[in-house]
């Protein structure tokens, strides 16, 4: 297999472009999308590359159709992806829930822009954190990854596919207009350097009878994809292990939903990912994710220079959420701050995690500009005064 | 007792027996459509393993899922055709069939219907038009006749119904037909043709919902509704010579379109081959 872009080499590319290339290296062969700033470059790159790797990229009539086609393609056996931004993300919510309920692996990229509504189409925001986690109705769990650099956008796209396939779940790559449009150096590994995960398929007819049964005791059923003669029945209605609708039986609903949630929550240790900087003796702990984490990192350096014991926790996954980790850090901290480009979303999770062990402040910024490190430093110094 | 009937019913081998009896009301046209579809599959000797059935939400969506025994995707309201698009692109060698209602496919999902027809993707859509939102209790649909009584137009419907077959025909489908549940044999033949056409095919089936539509519109029984279908149906050949006024309230039946036209997944694969050859990438042994 040859790739229409450099592999085993570095290149200087946009975040959106990196996501497209990484998806193809991860084995994505179906893309469906609808144009929207600042995610369109992903779609354009996919349209250019897909036919060259025997893949397909199609434009649907709206974002509802895009994610629907992606789910259909995933059941047809393909690794599949779509990408969008705020307005389109909102339109995808119903079928995102369908993907959760039917345990359909897929990757949904949200290159965040300012909202609500059409908002600031070209400017970055982190206002969709709660929507990514809780936007679709009903009890559920899924996975949300948050890259801060173009290289991370690349690496996390591959990881997003691996997690989607491993846990048979939709995975959201929650990035933003800054990362999406910024150009940085990205190393694309050789395909043989990559560890790729593929969904478990049933090994025999018997296993295929339980498309939604915990047949291996790992909470993730093998997926009897279409076209293999299994006659699988897939529905968004509450269903039993065989996939049969059971819409009024409380036990069936409870068992299904609890397993779907548990397969994510019980594997938190495997899924959660974070980085720390100067955290060991930190009295002031900054918590951030995505593009803002880069300013926060810089702010920590500045604060240290001024003799303030600051540290950073950079979250690469915002769901599932490691509440225990936050509590442990809170125990040794005097104050914690969440820096994010919204009016306080991750903040609420951190506050819950801190469990009163440390005070939690919010350093919020909206309007399309990323916090400057100086802004963060000033705010903290002000509070300490 | 139920079990016995199913062993006598030959088409039962195409159905998920554990899902029977169906949840459809007695006298609902949905059963006729299911029967016609099963007969078409049987007569064409299509192995159900080579079939993927996709449906939306509504009574008519239940015809395909859970009752039909094939790979089945029972999706969200209105979106079946969009889901089916992904399935068909992923499995171009399988027959992909969408069965769902008028509200589902032509109301909330109308945009997907038009654009799938425009793309001419090889999906067969059996659209069950019962003039009403049956499942949710008889609310007005985009197909409800002018003046009809529904639970959300309790005085009378002041909107005009969408002509689905005509709309899809003008959107560019390869095959379009309309029949009613009274015209069972024509319906089976038409579904067979639709399944064999390479391209987007639509069979609109005018169907009775005596419970939510007929009852409120002076057709209490299924028989009364079927009589109405039979009396009001005009073959398309005859309709061509009739004025819009003469056609008011009539059901035009027959084939609207049956033509050859480039099909979407074939074009996709042609494009992939072309591009791969041009850049000599593609295959394992390309370099
Ligand atoms: C997004 C969404 N809106 C509304 C509903 C409720 N709903 C279920 S079935 C249906 C109408 C179906 O009508 P039609 O497609 O004509 O099917 P019928 O029951 O008449 O066969 C509606 C509105 C839903 N399931 N999802
Ligand atoms: S409500 Fe109407 S469409 Fe639904 S099952 Fe009953 S008769 Fe059929
Ligand atoms: Mg209806």
């Amino acid at each position: 297999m040859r790739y229409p872009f450099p592999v085993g080499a570095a290149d200087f590319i946009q975040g959106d472009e990196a996501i497209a290339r990484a998806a193809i290296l991860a084995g994505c062969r179906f893309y469906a999308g609808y144009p929207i700033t600042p995610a369109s470059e992903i779609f354009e790159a996919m349209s250019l590359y897909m036919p060259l790797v025997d893949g397909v990229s199609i434009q649907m009539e709206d974002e509802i159709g895009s994610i629907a086609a992606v789910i259909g393609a995933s059941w047809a056996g393909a690794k599949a992806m779509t990408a969008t931004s705020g307005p389109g993300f909102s339109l995808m919510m119903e079928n995102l829930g369908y993907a959760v309920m039917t345990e359909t692996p897929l990757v949904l990229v949200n290159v965040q822009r300012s909202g609500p509504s059409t908002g600031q189409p070209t400017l970055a925001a982190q206002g969709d954190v709660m929507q990514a986690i809780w936007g679709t109705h009903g009890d559920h769990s899924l996975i949300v990854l948050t890259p801060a650099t173009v290289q991370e956008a690349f690496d996390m796209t591959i990881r997003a596919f691996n997690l989607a396939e491993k846990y048979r779940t939709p995975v959201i790559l929650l990035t933003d207009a800054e990362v999406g449009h910024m150009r940085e150096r990205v190393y694309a590994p050789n395909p043989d350097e990559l560890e790729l995960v593929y969904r478990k398929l049933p090994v025999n007819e018997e296993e295929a009878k339980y498309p939604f049964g915990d047949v291996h005791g790992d909470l993730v059923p093998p997926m009897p994809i279409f076209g293999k003669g299994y006659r699988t029945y897939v529905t968004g209605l509450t269903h039993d292990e065989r996939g049969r609708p059971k819409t009024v039986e409380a036990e069936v609903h409870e068992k299904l939903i609890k397993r779907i949630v548990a397969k994510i929550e019980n594997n938190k240790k495997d899924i959660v990912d974070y980085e720390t900087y100067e955290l060991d003796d930190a009295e002031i702990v900054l918590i951030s994710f995505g593009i803002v984490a880069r300013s926060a990192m810089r702010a920590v350096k500045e604060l240290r220079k001024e003799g303030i014991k600051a540290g950073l926790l950079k979250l690469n996954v915002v769901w599932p959420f490691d509440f225990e980790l936050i509590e442990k850090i809170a125990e040794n901290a005097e104050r914690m701050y969440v820096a994010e480009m919204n009016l306080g979303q991750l903040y609420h999770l951190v506050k819950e995690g801190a469990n009163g062990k440390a005070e939690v402040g919010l350093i919020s910024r909206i309007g399309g500009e990323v916090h400057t490190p100086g802004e963060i430093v000033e705010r903290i110094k002000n509070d300490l005064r | 007792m139920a079990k016995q009937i199913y062993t006598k019913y030959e088409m039962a081998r195409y159905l998920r027996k554990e899902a029977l009896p169906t949840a459809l009301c007695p006298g609902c046209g949905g059963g006729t459509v299911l029967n016609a579809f099963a007969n078409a599959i049987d007569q064409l000797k299509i192995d159900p393993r080579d079939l993927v059935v996709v449906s939306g939400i509504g009574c008519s969506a239940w015809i395909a899922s859970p009752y039909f025994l094939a790979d089945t995707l029972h999706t969200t309201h209105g979106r079946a055709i969009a889901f089916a698009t992904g399935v068909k692109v992923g499995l171009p060698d399988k027959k992909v069939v969408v069965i769902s209602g008028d509200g589902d496919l032509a109301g909330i999902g109308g945009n997907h219907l038009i654009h799938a027809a425009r793309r001419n993707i090889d999906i067969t859509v059996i659209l069950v038009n019962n003039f009403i939102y049956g499942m949710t209790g008889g609310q007005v649909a985009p197909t409800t006749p002018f003046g009809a009584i529904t639970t959300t137009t309790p005085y009378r419907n002041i909107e005009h119904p969408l002509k689905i077959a005509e709309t899809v025909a003008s959107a560019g489908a390869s095959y379009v037909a309309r029949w009613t549940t009274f015209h069972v044999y024509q319906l089976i033949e038409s579904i067979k043709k639709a399944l064999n056409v390479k391209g987007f095919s639509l069979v609109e089936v005018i169907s009775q919902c005596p419970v939510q539509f007929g009852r409120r519109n002076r057709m209490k029984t299924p028989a009364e509704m079927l009589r109405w279908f039979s009396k009001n149906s005009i073959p398309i050949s005859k309709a061509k010579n009739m004025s819009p006024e003469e056609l008011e309230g009539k059901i035009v039946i027959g084939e609207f379109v049956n033509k050859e036209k480039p099909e979407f997944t074939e074009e996709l694969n042609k494009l992939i081959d072309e591009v791969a050859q041009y850049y000599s990438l593609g295959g394992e042994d390309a370099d």
Side-chain angles (χ1 to χ4, degrees):
Chain A
M1 184 82 199
R2 282 166 58 185
Y3 291 90
F5 43 77
V7 291
D11 203 353
F12 190 68
I13 52 172
Q14 274 194 339
D16 280 356
E17 171 82 21
I19 291 166
R21 293 185 186 185
I24 286 171
L25 280 171
C28 176
R29 289 297 177 270
F30 183 90
Y31 183 94
Y34 189 84
I36 190 165
T37 305
S40 291
E41 289 87 346
I42 299 175
F43 190 6
E44 288 163 2
M46 285 308 229
S47 308
L48 195 62
Y49 295 147
M50 276 299 208
L52 295 163
V53 295
D54 206 12
V56 167
S57 174
I58 59 174
Q59 182 160 328
M60 294 298 289
E61 44 279 3
D62 56 32
E63 289 86 346
I64 303 173
S66 301
I67 187 169
V70 160
I71 295 168
S74 186
W75 275 97
K79 287 190 181 181
M81 176 170 100
T82 184
T84 188
S85 190
F89 196 54
S90 291
L91 286 182
M92 289 185 184
M93 284 301 123
E94 185 191 11
N95 284 339
L96 176 64
Y98 182 87
V100 170
M101 190 64 152
T102 55
E103 302 179 68
T104 307
L106 64 85
V107 174
L108 196 182
V109 183
N110 177 2
V111 189
Q112 291 171 98
R113 61 193 234 183
S114 291
S117 190
T118 314
Q120 296 174 296
T122 60
L123 300 183
Q126 295 179 322
D128 307 348
V129 177
M130 283 301 176
Q131 188 186 18
I133 302 169
W134 295 121
T136 194
H137 61 278
D139 295 304
H140 62 269
S141 189
L142 40 64
I143 298 173
V144 185
L145 310 182
T146 49
T149 67
V150 177
Q151 182 71 56
E152 281 183 7
F154 184 96
D155 297 340
M156 285 189 200
T157 300
I158 292 176
R159 182 156 197 256
F161 275 99
N162 283 348
L163 290 169
E165 296 284 316
K166 182 171 181 182
Y167 294 111
R168 239 186 95 176
T169 182
V171 175
I172 296 171
L173 186 77
L174 188 66
T175 182
D176 61 76
E178 287 293 340
V179 175
H181 280 166
M182 176 167 44
R183 281 174 198 276
E184 285 186 302
R185 185 182 183 278
V186 174
Y187 175 75
N190 262 313
D192 48 21
E193 293 170 48
L194 286 172
E195 266 181 51
L196 298 185
V197 179
Y198 293 86
R199 65 195 68 171
K200 279 189 302 188
L201 301 174
V203 295
N204 53 40
E205 294 278 330
E206 188 53 29
E207 271 194 16
K209 284 184 192 156
Y210 302 93
F212 304 94
D214 185 12
V215 298
H216 294 151
D218 62 354
L219 303 170
V220 186
M223 187 170 171
I225 54 174
F226 291 171
K228 305 281 181 204
Y230 295 133
R231 307 192 194 196
T232 306
Y233 182 60
V234 182
T235 178
L237 292 168
T238 293
H239 44 270
D240 67 9
E241 300 173 333
R242 289 181 171 240
R244 296 175 296 206
K246 292 276 182 295
T247 55
V248 292
E249 294 83 346
E251 334 71 72
V252 178
H253 186 79
E254 194 178 338
K255 190 173 167 195
L256 172 69
I257 300 304
K258 283 192 169 168
R259 180 178 59 72
I260 288 176
V261 171
K263 77 178 175 185
I264 306 296
E265 301 298 324
N266 295 5
N267 288 300
K268 229 186 226 181
K269 285 282 164 287
D270 179 44
I271 300 166
V272 162
D273 182 36
Y274 58 88
E275 289 156 64
T276 63
Y277 178 71
E278 302 272 22
L279 203 58
D280 288 346
D281 64 341
E283 290 161 1
I284 305 292
V285 177
L286 266 165
I287 300 177
S288 199
F289 63 97
I291 188 71
V292 183
R294 298 173 73 161
S295 284
M297 165 84 107
R298 184 72 199 210
V300 167
K301 286 181 186 165
E302 306 274 323
L303 288 165
R304 284 269 168 183
K305 262 192 235 159
E306 301 192 29
I308 297 166
K309 286 189 173 167
L312 171 70
L313 173 68
K314 167 178 173 284
L315 297 178
N316 295 335
V317 175
V318 295
W319 199 267
F321 194 77
D322 198 342
F323 292 100
E324 300 75 22
L325 171 76
I326 302 292
E327 182 164 6
K328 229 166 55 203
I329 293 172
E331 275 164 6
N332 300 317
E334 271 168 29
R335 265 166 184 276
M336 296 168 109
Y337 287 94
V338 178
E340 53 184 336
M341 288 175 78
N342 57 46
L343 294 180
Q345 297 196 14
L346 187 78
Y347 168 69
H348 292 285
L349 296 176
V350 170
K351 231 174 143 176
E352 186 183 339
N355 203 11
K357 305 274 162 60
E359 220 178 292
V360 183
L362 168 68
I363 307 180
S364 146
R365 185 91 151 87
I366 59 169
E369 273 172 35
V370 185
H371 309 57
T372 63
E375 218 172 281
I376 299 173
V377 169
E378 271 318 297
R379 162 68 190 276
I380 291 172
K381 275 165 59 184
N382 252 337
D383 283 3
L384 291 178
R385 240 170 242 147
Chain B
M1 213 264 293
K3 283 267 153 49
Q4 242 175 25
I5 293 171
Y6 303 138
T7 54
K8 280 186 194 150
Y9 177 50
E10 270 185 56
M11 294 305 126
R13 65 174 176 278
Y14 296 105
L15 307 182
R16 290 181 201 274
K17 292 198 184 57
E18 72 274 16
L20 298 174
T22 76
L24 303 174
C25 308
C28 173
T32 306
V33 179
L34 177 59
N35 187 25
F37 179 58
N39 271 281
I41 294 295
D42 190 62
Q43 289 175 24
L44 290 177
K45 299 195 169 51
I46 293 174
D47 185 337
R49 290 174 189 82
D50 294 326
L51 195 65
V52 182
V53 193
V54 186
S55 73
I57 301 292
C59 298
S60 309
W62 280 78
I63 294 170
S65 52
Y67 307 125
F68 204 83
L69 183 53
D71 282 331
T72 310
L73 199 59
H74 180 220
T75 68
T76 48
H77 188 31
R79 315 302 166 193
I81 291 174
F83 281 87
T85 300
V87 173
K88 182 65 191 182
V89 170
L91 296 169
D93 299 333
K94 303 288 173 188
K95 292 223 182 281
V96 177
V97 180
V98 171
I99 308 181
S100 226
D102 51 324
D104 188 78
L105 292 170
I108 188 169
N111 206 29
H112 305 301
L113 177 66
I114 290 166
H115 288 285
R118 175 181 62 78
R119 265 176 218 120
N120 202 33
I121 184 166
D122 188 20
I123 293 171
T124 297
V125 175
I126 301 174
L127 187 153
V128 184
N129 182 357
N130 53 13
F131 311 115
I132 198 83
Y133 282 39
M135 178 165 271
T136 38
Q139 295 83 6
V140 72
T143 46
T144 305
F146 185 84
I149 305 297
T150 75
T151 54
T152 48
T153 57
Y155 303 108
R156 64 185 170 90
N157 178 26
I158 56 167
E159 293 184 29
H160 302 275
L162 182 73
K163 293 178 177 171
I164 297 172
E166 288 85 341
T167 304
V168 173
S170 67
S174 267
Y175 182 87
V176 179
R178 180 190 287 125
W179 298 103
T180 80
T181 44
F182 180 80
H183 303 88
V184 181
Y185 290 98
Q186 294 94 320
L187 176 61
I188 294 173
E189 287 310 311
S190 199
I191 294 174
K192 280 161 63 181
K193 276 194 194 169
L195 286 165
N196 278 334
V197 158
K198 195 92 199 127
F200 190 83
S201 52
L202 170 88
V203 181
E204 179 185 351
V205 193
I206 305 295
S207 176
Q208 73 275 21
C209 170
V211 175
Q212 301 293 6
F213 182 79
R215 183 161 67 95
R216 296 193 178 91
N217 291 281
R218 281 170 283 161
M219 287 175 286
K220 263 208 185 90
T221 64
E224 279 170 277
M225 293 207 71
L226 285 167
R227 229 171 276 132
W228 177 53
F229 295 165
S230 135
K231 253 195 4 227
N232 266 282
S233 293
I234 308 275
I236 188 164
S237 51
K238 210 168 146 195
K240 278 186 180 132
N241 303 318
M242 290 168 70
S243 67
E245 293 72 40
E246 287 174 309
L247 284 172
E248 194 58 50
K250 301 285 184 215
I251 304 164
V252 179
I253 52 168
E255 269 178 17
F256 289 70
V257 184
N258 188 359
K259 65 177 180 208
E260 274 185 38
K261 209 186 141 180
E263 189 274 328
F264 183 70
T265 55
E266 268 183 11
E267 290 299 310
L268 257 181
N269 289 321
K270 242 184 6 206
L271 180 83
I272 291 171
D273 288 347
E274 264 168 42
V275 171
Q277 248 175 21
Y278 186 78
Y279 291 95
S280 57
L281 284 156
E284 220 67 50
D285 46 13
D287 53 346

